[in-house]
Amino acid sequence: MTAVASHVVHNRTKFNRLGLWLFLITEVAMFGSFLVMRFYYWGNTRPDLDQTIGLIVTSVLLISSFFMNRAEVAIAHNDRLNYFVSLLITGALGTAFLLGVVFIEWGLALPPAERHLTPQSGLFGSILFLMTGMHALHVLTGLIFILAIIIKGLRNKYTAESHWAVEFTAIYWHFVDVVWVFFYPALYLIGHATHV
């Protein structure tokens, strides 16, 4: 790569990083407003959610972040095998988290009459489904990014020196995990459980 081309790539990456951080600032504002809404409307109460499911899905998501970091480090060292294995594990764990929230916690695996909480269950249901739904949408987006960098990795698009898309995906994935670190206690731990 010529010096001019290298300079252009470097400047484009700096611009992309700035765009990513500006995007994440807006995301912090959105998710932060959900937390404010939760504490304003629920106060010192919360819906009676399954603590085991909450702990399991949280653990699964946090472990996925370890493997996402491992994939990023692997591609930076041209370790393609660990890159792909780590991404596949991250994707599997992210999918498990998503299924745990959507099918088990939301109760979509149950007949409608047996669901204890729905979006129509007043403030408890609407806030819970808004917070977990927006987070689930971000996890789904992260899974799409992971699939994209797996496919591009198979086409040898990344090197140890040039793998901005992998860095972007890792930052995004870690951000989604950090959001859940705040959501989990707000939804499952803080306040007196109230049966809806």
Side-chain angles (χ1 to χ4, degrees):
M1 184 180 295
T2 66
V4 172
S6 176
H7 181 71
V8 169
V9 168
H10 176 71
N11 283 342
R12 184 174 57 212
T13 301
K14 280 176 47 177
F15 182 74
N16 288 341
R17 280 198 176 99
L18 175 63
L20 172 62
W21 289 111
L22 291 174
F23 166 73
L24 291 180
I25 288 170
T26 64
E27 293 285 287
V28 166
M30 179 185 69
F31 284 117
S33 69
F34 293 162
L35 284 169
V36 169
M37 181 175 54
R38 177 265 181 252
F39 286 105
Y40 180 79
Y41 287 110
W42 288 3
N44 196 30
T45 61
R46 61 177 169 79
D48 188 15
L49 300 174
D50 188 324
Q51 296 295 308
T52 304
I53 296 298
L55 183 60
I56 290 171
V57 296
T58 301
S59 300
V60 163
L61 194 61
L62 293 177
I63 293 167
S64 77
S65 210
F66 166 79
F67 284 100
M68 185 70 239
N69 182 67
R70 188 174 163 204
E72 185 181 10
V73 170
I75 199 65
H77 290 91
N78 261 340
D79 183 352
R80 296 179 55 76
L81 177 62
N82 274 329
Y83 171 74
F84 289 115
V85 169
S86 297
L87 284 180
L88 290 172
I89 293 171
T90 303
L93 292 171
T95 302
F97 172 86
L98 202 57
L99 294 175
V101 169
V102 172
F103 286 99
I104 298 173
E105 188 59 69
W106 287 2
L108 293 186
L110 300 171
E114 294 180 26
R115 295 178 194 159
H116 73 282
L117 196 61
T118 68
Q120 294 79 29
S121 301
L123 283 173
F124 281 127
S126 58
I127 291 173
L128 174 74
F129 278 81
L130 174 65
M131 290 175 72
T132 57
M134 283 303 292
H135 186 266
L137 178 62
H138 283 71
V139 171
L140 178 61
T141 303
L143 290 172
I144 292 168
F145 291 159
I146 289 169
L147 179 61
I149 63 173
I150 288 172
I151 292 169
K152 285 192 169 190
L154 290 171
R155 295 177 182 163
N156 295 318
K157 297 288 185 181
Y158 306 124
T159 65
E161 299 78 25
S162 177
H163 54 269
W164 162 244
V166 179
E167 290 179 51
F168 169 90
T169 302
I171 292 168
Y172 181 86
W173 193 258
H174 296 317
F175 172 77
V176 170
D177 285 3
V178 168
V179 167
W180 189 256
V181 166
F182 287 95
F183 275 21
Y184 170 62
L187 296 173
Y188 288 87
L189 304 176
I190 299 173
H192 303 296
T194 303
H195 188 68
V196 180

